Amino acid sequence: MNHFHGRDQKIKGRLSPQLIKNKFLLEEILKDCDDIVKKDFLCGREKKVKAYILYTDGMTKTQMLEESIIRPLLNRTIPDFPDHRKGLEDSLYSYVSKEILEMADLKELDTMEDVVTQILAGNTILLLDGCSKAIMISSKFFPTRGVQTADQEVSMRGPTDSFTENLRFNTALIRRRIRDSRLKVKQLVAGER
């Protein structure tokens, strides 16, 4: 896993215009992170443009994501652009980010470090085949129940969060404090039932 990180502990590399390369790298970096949701799909009514979306379960507004991002991407027509692999990739990126996505808070990312940091911060990342930039969609959401302070172990300094009954809220609390791809959340079945 250390071959992804440089001496400054940041993830090395920039995004590639080839979605398959970006997908492979992100899946290797986020391997064994069962709280990260990764989804492949085809955009547009014609289903011509490959897309890949990533977000952290428990830290993202999934209803907003489905209504404002995924549904428009699936139902709108994406025109044929000239071969965007020859330097015209901005046409597809601009069209999707300005014409299709129904969000005001979008940001352009071009490094792996920025992409992984934003996923772990609770935002959603959209990658399109042929684009060497990712679209960061602000979709942060933290647990709705007020996190109560821990009464058993009182600390003098530092955060006073305590875990809840919901597993995803608990992993979201940990991810909120430790935003590192080397923190793995692996879900296992203990016992037979």
Side-chain angles (χ1 to χ4, degrees), residues 39-101:
K39 177 81 175 135
D40 274 315
F41 61 99
L42 296 170
C43 298
R45 287 187 186 150
E46 304 82 19
K47 307 290 186 241
K48 291 181 184 176
V49 179
K50 293 179 186 176
Y52 188 57
I53 200 163
L54 300 101
Y55 62 90
T56 305
D57 193 16
M59 292 177 69
T60 305
K61 298 179 199 169
T62 53
Q63 183 178 1
M64 179 273 304
L65 187 66
E66 290 171 9
E67 292 173 1
S68 301
I69 307 301
I70 295 175
R71 188 172 296 141
L73 281 170
L74 293 175
N75 295 332
R76 297 274 306 270
T77 301
I78 298 175
D80 285 330
F81 292 104
D83 190 5
H84 48 271
R85 292 184 198 342
K86 293 180 182 169
L88 299 173
E89 66 181 63
D90 288 339
S91 304
L92 176 63
Y93 180 88
S94 295
Y95 184 80
V96 170
S97 63
K98 293 177 183 168
E99 301 291 330
I100 294 182
L101 298 180

Side-chain angles (χ1 to χ4, degrees), residues 95-140:
Y95 184 80
V96 170
S97 63
K98 293 177 183 168
E99 301 291 330
I100 294 182
L101 298 180
E102 301 173 358
M103 297 294 301
D105 194 3
L106 301 175
K107 187 177 174 185
E108 179 181 304
L109 305 175
D110 59 357
T111 65
M112 279 293 174
E113 173 67 23
D114 292 341
V115 167
V116 173
T117 300
Q118 291 301 324
I119 293 168
L120 297 175
N123 292 311
T124 301
I125 299 296
L126 175 66
L127 296 164
L128 299 167
D129 193 26
C131 294
S132 60
K133 298 180 273 190
I135 301 172
M136 187 277 298
I137 303 148
S138 180
S139 59
K140 290 180 187 175

